[in-house]
Amino acid sequence: MFLLLGYVIILASAFGTYAIHGSLVALWVPAEYVAIIGLMIGSFIASNDGATLKLVLGRLSGALKGSPYTRAFYLELLSLLYEILVKVRKEGLMSIEQDVDNPEGSALFGKYPIVIKDHHLVEFITDYLRMMVSGSLNPVEIETLMDQELETHHQEAHLPPHIVSKIADAMPAFGIVVAVMGVVNVLGSVGEPPAVLGKKLGGALVGTFLGILLSYGFVAPVAGQLEAKIEDGAKPFQVAKVVLLASMSGYPPQIAIEFGRKVLWTRDRPTFLQLEEELKNRK
């Protein structure tokens, strides 16, 4: 939503101010547009393999969507973790074995439809609950493993914005390439009237204009949006990590979920009373 709004403002600012003292028709040079877009797409394909291309294209649609990680989501996540820990405390670790093995068919997980849609998060939670059930690892070992997994996830998640950012960096250079091609065309037409040469030279400069505008006005903001989505998407995993580790360290469920609440961004963090009310309503 904000990305599209930003695009509208950028276009209005760039073309609107130009229209005050010039003709927009002069900026319509289809060959320049085709060349710039073609260079961008060609560079994108040439510098990545099939799996990476698929990953980046899959993430691009997310740049236009709002973040699913709202206060309501975190209230549900903390409530789920609390209920799991309470069940473990009352009935023992073996009581959650079936829930962990089949979260989609679990009555416990089924009460939290927003969280269960996030398959990667649910897999993260159930994997470490399964380790807790097996009792084969201590909290320090599990924390180390969690950190390694989250670091891997972090590196993989940052690949799409990194690639988009590199394309944005290359766009001004592509604009220069197109502009030089236009100047070569102009130099090959030196015998033509000044009006014709001026039109061709202006068309050549459109390439430079497009390269810079597309880079900083359109492609770079997409990379920024993807980066922001990554930071939002990492937070639920941090919440699950600190809650589970607090529980393994011996803290009761009420205190363990406070560890998770405290690591949330301020804008998404429910108050202590809001979380307490949510837990009471779910009993």
Side-chain angles (χ1 to χ4, degrees), residues 134-155:
S134 70
S136 56
L137 296 174
N138 61 45
V140 175
E141 292 171 325
I142 286 189
E143 182 176 10
T144 301
L145 186 57
M146 283 180 169
D147 288 339
Q148 291 173 343
E149 180 175 353
L150 292 178
E151 178 61 25
T152 301
H153 180 271
H154 179 80
Q155 291 175 353

Side-chain angles (χ1 to χ4, degrees), residues 30-48:
E32 305 283 320
Y33 288 81
V34 172
I36 287 284
I37 300 300
L39 286 167
M40 179 181 71
I41 295 173
S43 172
F44 175 51
I45 293 174
S47 56
N48 298 287

Side-chain angles (χ1 to χ4, degrees), residues 117-269:
K117 287 179 183 177
D118 193 327
H119 301 295
H120 294 297
L121 177 60
V122 171
E123 183 180 5
F124 180 83
I125 293 171
T126 53
D127 280 351
Y128 288 101
L129 285 173
R130 193 175 290 111
M131 291 182 191
M132 290 169 64
V133 170
S134 70
S136 56
L137 296 174
N138 61 45
V140 175
E141 292 171 325
I142 286 189
E143 182 176 10
T144 301
L145 186 57
M146 283 180 169
D147 288 339
Q148 291 173 343
E149 180 175 353
L150 292 178
E151 178 61 25
T152 301
H153 180 271
H154 179 80
Q155 291 175 353
E156 184 180 23
H158 274 81
L159 185 59
H162 174 67
I163 291 172
V164 174
S165 182
K166 285 175 66 177
I167 293 174
D169 292 341
M171 292 300 290
F174 292 154
I176 293 173
V177 169
V178 174
V180 170
M181 291 165 60
V183 171
V184 170
N185 184 38
V186 171
L187 294 176
S189 311
V190 214
E192 297 189 16
V196 175
L197 290 176
K199 184 177 180 181
K200 288 186 176 181
L201 185 58
L205 293 176
V206 168
T208 304
F209 161 73
L210 281 176
I212 296 172
L213 178 65
L214 291 175
S215 172
Y216 298 108
F218 287 84
V219 183
V222 172
Q225 284 282 356
L226 292 176
E227 285 281 359
K229 294 292 188 298
I230 290 169
E231 295 304 319
D232 276 350
K235 190 57 67 175
F237 291 87
Q238 294 175 3
V239 171
K241 171 190 167 182
V242 298
V243 169
L244 293 178
L245 288 175
S247 176
M248 290 190 71
S249 298
Y251 290 98
Q254 294 88 342
I255 302 300
I257 61 166
E258 269 300 295
F259 279 62
R261 190 180 73 85
K262 288 296 185 182
V263 302
L264 289 173
W265 303 120
T266 306
R267 67 175 187 265
D268 301 322
R269 183 191 302 157

